[in-house]
Amino acid sequence: MPRRYDPDRRRRIIDAAIRVVGRDGIAGLSHRSVAAEADVPLGSTTYHFATLEELMVAALRQANENFARVLAERLPEQQQDREELAADLARALGEWLGGDRTGVELEYELYLAALRRPALRPVAAEWTEDAAALLARHTDPVTSRALLALMDGICLQVLLTGGSYDEKYARAALARLIP
């Protein structure tokens, strides 16, 4: 039987890994579970990702890209005053935390997995650098990192407590950091 051309298979495998981690956590991630979720042969997952670490790196990178896209869409190219910037960042967090939080939970689970899995650290650092650079277009580098840390903290608090996101609170807290 001829080999089937499937240019989107790698992406489908990553998407399946994200769903598996979102549903079962990192502990539930295996080549077998991802292959079943993606409805591909087991050999496809190991062909595209020789190790689970490689698959986690790809999943974290994709999760990072999703939030980076939300952030980039919310922040205009031109400089903003502190209230506008705080409002845009708070709206971006609201959009990211709104609806299905599986993607956000996955991102933080993989992000925190970097504590024990050194292969994930460069991707986590890459995300921090890219997001800080995006924010630094609107403020200085130190403030951009502080804003990013506060945004991470707000997200983690919402996720860990199961509480609702308070955009007004986030906007006020973010505005306090912006000179």
Side-chain angles (χ1 to χ4, degrees), residues 59-136:
L60 179 56
R61 188 164 274 128
Q62 182 171 312
N64 287 347
E65 289 169 2
N66 291 340
F67 183 64
R69 186 173 57 268
V70 168
L71 200 53
E73 288 170 358
R74 285 285 174 209
L75 294 178
E77 291 294 321
Q78 70 274 10
Q79 187 92 15
Q80 298 177 283
D81 72 27
R82 66 182 290 210
E83 293 301 323
E84 290 173 325
L85 179 57
D88 284 346
L89 292 174
R91 272 193 297 278
L93 281 180
E95 185 176 328
W96 186 235
L97 289 167
D100 181 16
R101 291 184 179 168
T102 304
V104 183
E105 291 170 359
L106 162 86
E107 181 180 354
Y108 278 103
E109 187 164 358
L110 288 170
Y111 191 70
L112 292 173
L115 292 170
R116 302 272 187 244
R117 297 175 185 264
L120 294 174
R121 288 181 188 160
V123 181
E126 179 182 295
W127 155 245
T128 301
E129 292 301 319
D130 291 350
L134 183 62
L135 293 173

Side-chain angles (χ1 to χ4, degrees), residues 111-175:
Y111 191 70
L112 292 173
L115 292 170
R116 302 272 187 244
R117 297 175 185 264
L120 294 174
R121 288 181 188 160
V123 181
E126 179 182 295
W127 155 245
T128 301
E129 292 301 319
D130 291 350
L134 183 62
L135 293 173
R137 293 188 324 205
H138 299 276
T139 188
D140 63 274
V142 172
T143 302
S144 69
R145 286 190 174 275
L147 289 169
L148 189 57
L150 178 57
M151 291 166 64
D152 273 338
I154 290 170
C155 286
L156 281 171
Q157 286 177 357
V158 169
L159 293 173
L160 294 174
T161 64
S164 60
Y165 173 68
D166 184 345
E167 188 173 315
K168 185 177 176 183
Y169 161 78
R171 185 175 55 249
L174 290 161

